[in-house]
Amino acid sequence: MEMSKHSCFVFLFCGIFLPGILGFPQTNNSIDCDSLLPNYEAEPQTSAPPYIIAVSFDNFDPDNEVQVTLEALGDAGFRGFNLQAREIDGDVPVGTFKITDPNTKGLECHNMTNSAVSHANSDVKQKVTTTWIAPKDVRELQFIATVVQDLENFWVGIQSKTLTPTHSESVNATGKSKRKVCFSVFE
């Protein structure tokens, strides 16, 4: 009888406390779609993140596919992440992701399937790559991510370089188009 009490305690301890002690929770490890904050108590790091977001193109057209890579610098590694495309100064994801990496899964944010991409497991990763599909009618944007190294160390708001729609029309402070108009007269 004494042995079964100890076995029960060990089983409960291992199932409830050990996953958190080892560095990353097995359950409730989501990252909020809006705030990009992980669902636990620690505060985000304020130091420069040891991660980068690289993109395959600077410009895009609707329906273009852009390869997006989230990568650790050096041997930092990461266990969790949430990656989205957002218009500059926007607060909701734009476009959709095509899930191609087995370490990733699509998320539904704002009722849009695969509008964000996240970790599919808590294995340590050095790099994940996914494909983003550009929507119609979108302005300049950046990819933005939260990256979780462990329960104590995570970075929020890591940004890629700015991507610009190929056929965008820039506007100056007067609201007038800066696009030059050329006329050609055929005789």
Short mmCIF file of all heavy atoms in Angstrom, two decimals, residues 49-51 71-79 124-126 147-150 155:
data_model
loop_
_atom_site.label_atom_id
_atom_site.label_comp_id
_atom_site.label_asym_id
_atom_site.label_seq_id
_atom_site.Cartn_x
_atom_site.Cartn_y
_atom_site.Cartn_z
N PRO A 49 17.08 40.99 -29.59
CA PRO A 49 16.76 39.56 -29.73
C PRO A 49 17.86 38.81 -30.48
O PRO A 49 18.42 39.34 -31.43
CB PRO A 49 15.47 39.56 -30.53
CG PRO A 49 15.46 40.86 -31.26
CD PRO A 49 16.22 41.84 -30.39
N PRO A 50 18.13 37.57 -30.06
CA PRO A 50 19.12 36.75 -30.77
C PRO A 50 18.47 35.99 -31.94
O PRO A 50 18.82 34.85 -32.22
CB PRO A 50 19.63 35.80 -29.69
CG PRO A 50 18.47 35.65 -28.76
CD PRO A 50 17.73 36.95 -28.79
N TYR A 51 17.51 36.64 -32.61
CA TYR A 51 16.77 36.02 -33.71
C TYR A 51 16.55 37.04 -34.81
O TYR A 51 16.47 38.24 -34.55
CB TYR A 51 15.40 35.51 -33.22
CG TYR A 51 15.52 34.64 -32.00
CD1 TYR A 51 15.25 35.13 -30.74
CD2 TYR A 51 15.94 33.32 -32.12
CE1 TYR A 51 15.40 34.35 -29.61
CE2 TYR A 51 16.09 32.52 -31.00
CZ TYR A 51 15.82 33.04 -29.75
OH TYR A 51 15.99 32.26 -28.65
N GLU A 71 15.10 32.70 -37.73
CA GLU A 71 16.36 32.00 -37.47
C GLU A 71 17.05 32.53 -36.22
O GLU A 71 17.06 33.72 -35.95
CB GLU A 71 17.28 32.19 -38.68
CG GLU A 71 18.54 31.41 -38.63
CD GLU A 71 19.30 31.41 -39.95
OE1 GLU A 71 18.90 32.12 -40.89
OE2 GLU A 71 20.30 30.69 -40.04
N ALA A 72 17.62 31.60 -35.46
CA ALA A 72 18.41 31.95 -34.27
C ALA A 72 19.79 32.41 -34.72
O ALA A 72 20.37 31.86 -35.66
CB ALA A 72 18.53 30.74 -33.35
N LEU A 73 20.31 33.41 -34.04
CA LEU A 73 21.67 33.86 -34.28
C LEU A 73 22.58 33.08 -33.33
O LEU A 73 22.31 33.01 -32.14
CB LEU A 73 21.80 35.36 -34.01
CG LEU A 73 20.92 36.26 -34.87
CD1 LEU A 73 20.99 37.70 -34.39
CD2 LEU A 73 21.34 36.16 -36.32
N GLY A 74 23.61 32.50 -33.86
CA GLY A 74 24.49 31.67 -33.01
C GLY A 74 23.76 30.41 -32.58
O GLY A 74 23.04 29.81 -33.36
N ASP A 75 23.92 30.05 -31.31
CA ASP A 75 23.31 28.82 -30.84
C ASP A 75 22.15 29.09 -29.88
O ASP A 75 21.83 28.29 -29.02
CB ASP A 75 24.35 27.92 -30.17
CG ASP A 75 25.03 28.60 -28.99
OD1 ASP A 75 24.75 29.79 -28.76
OD2 ASP A 75 25.83 27.95 -28.30
N ALA A 76 21.47 30.25 -30.04
CA ALA A 76 20.40 30.65 -29.12
C ALA A 76 19.26 29.62 -29.09
O ALA A 76 18.75 29.30 -28.04
CB ALA A 76 19.87 32.02 -29.51
N GLY A 77 18.83 29.11 -30.22
CA GLY A 77 17.72 28.16 -30.28
C GLY A 77 16.43 28.77 -29.75
O GLY A 77 16.43 29.78 -29.05
N PHE A 78 15.30 28.18 -30.11
CA PHE A 78 14.00 28.62 -29.59
C PHE A 78 13.05 27.44 -29.57
O PHE A 78 13.20 26.49 -30.32
CB PHE A 78 13.43 29.79 -30.39
CG PHE A 78 13.27 29.56 -31.87
CD1 PHE A 78 12.05 29.16 -32.40
CD2 PHE A 78 14.34 29.75 -32.73
CE1 PHE A 78 11.90 28.96 -33.77
CE2 PHE A 78 14.21 29.56 -34.10
CZ PHE A 78 12.99 29.16 -34.62
N ARG A 79 12.06 27.51 -28.67
CA ARG A 79 11.09 26.43 -28.50
C ARG A 79 9.71 26.81 -29.02
O ARG A 79 8.93 25.95 -29.39
CB ARG A 79 11.00 26.04 -27.04
CG ARG A 79 12.27 25.41 -26.51
CD ARG A 79 12.10 25.03 -25.05
NE ARG A 79 13.28 24.39 -24.53
CZ ARG A 79 13.47 23.07 -24.52
NH1 ARG A 79 12.56 22.28 -25.03
NH2 ARG A 79 14.57 22.57 -24.02
N VAL A 124 13.68 22.19 -29.48
CA VAL A 124 14.54 23.33 -29.74
C VAL A 124 14.78 23.43 -31.25
O VAL A 124 15.12 22.45 -31.90
CB VAL A 124 15.88 23.21 -28.98
CG1 VAL A 124 16.81 24.37 -29.33
CG2 VAL A 124 15.64 23.17 -27.48
N LYS A 125 14.58 24.63 -31.78
CA LYS A 125 14.74 24.87 -33.22
C LYS A 125 15.81 25.94 -33.42
O LYS A 125 15.94 26.86 -32.64
CB LYS A 125 13.42 25.38 -33.81
CG LYS A 125 12.24 24.43 -33.61
CD LYS A 125 10.94 25.21 -33.64
CE LYS A 125 9.77 24.44 -33.14
NZ LYS A 125 9.88 23.93 -31.78
N GLN A 126 16.56 25.84 -34.50
CA GLN A 126 17.51 26.87 -34.89
C GLN A 126 16.92 27.75 -35.99
O GLN A 126 17.26 28.91 -36.11
CB GLN A 126 18.82 26.24 -35.40
CG GLN A 126 19.64 25.59 -34.32
CD GLN A 126 20.06 26.55 -33.23
OE1 GLN A 126 19.67 26.39 -32.08
NE2 GLN A 126 20.83 27.56 -33.57
N VAL A 147 9.26 35.28 -30.05
CA VAL A 147 10.08 34.07 -30.03
C VAL A 147 10.37 33.70 -28.57
O VAL A 147 10.81 34.54 -27.80
CB VAL A 147 11.40 34.26 -30.81
CG1 VAL A 147 12.24 32.99 -30.76
CG2 VAL A 147 11.10 34.64 -32.26
N VAL A 148 10.08 32.44 -28.24
CA VAL A 148 10.25 31.94 -26.87
C VAL A 148 11.44 31.00 -26.83
O VAL A 148 11.44 29.96 -27.49
CB VAL A 148 8.97 31.21 -26.40
CG1 VAL A 148 9.17 30.63 -24.99
CG2 VAL A 148 7.77 32.13 -26.45
N GLN A 149 12.43 31.40 -26.06
CA GLN A 149 13.61 30.56 -25.85
C GLN A 149 13.32 29.53 -24.75
O GLN A 149 13.61 28.35 -24.90
CB GLN A 149 14.79 31.44 -25.44
CG GLN A 149 16.14 30.79 -25.51
CD GLN A 149 17.23 31.82 -25.28
OE1 GLN A 149 17.27 32.47 -24.24
NE2 GLN A 149 18.11 31.98 -26.26
N ASP A 150 12.73 29.99 -23.65
CA ASP A 150 12.30 29.14 -22.53
C ASP A 150 11.31 29.96 -21.71
O ASP A 150 10.96 31.08 -22.10
CB ASP A 150 13.51 28.66 -21.69
CG ASP A 150 14.37 29.80 -21.19
OD1 ASP A 150 13.82 30.80 -20.66
OD2 ASP A 150 15.61 29.70 -21.31
N TRP A 155 11.15 37.16 -26.51
CA TRP A 155 11.21 38.48 -27.13
C TRP A 155 9.93 38.71 -27.92
O TRP A 155 9.51 37.84 -28.68
CB TRP A 155 12.43 38.59 -28.05
CG TRP A 155 13.71 38.66 -27.31
CD1 TRP A 155 14.44 39.80 -27.04
CD2 TRP A 155 14.46 37.58 -26.73
NE1 TRP A 155 15.57 39.48 -26.33
CE2 TRP A 155 15.61 38.13 -26.13
CE3 TRP A 155 14.26 36.20 -26.66
CZ2 TRP A 155 16.55 37.36 -25.48
CZ3 TRP A 155 15.20 35.42 -26.00
CH2 TRP A 155 16.33 35.99 -25.42
#
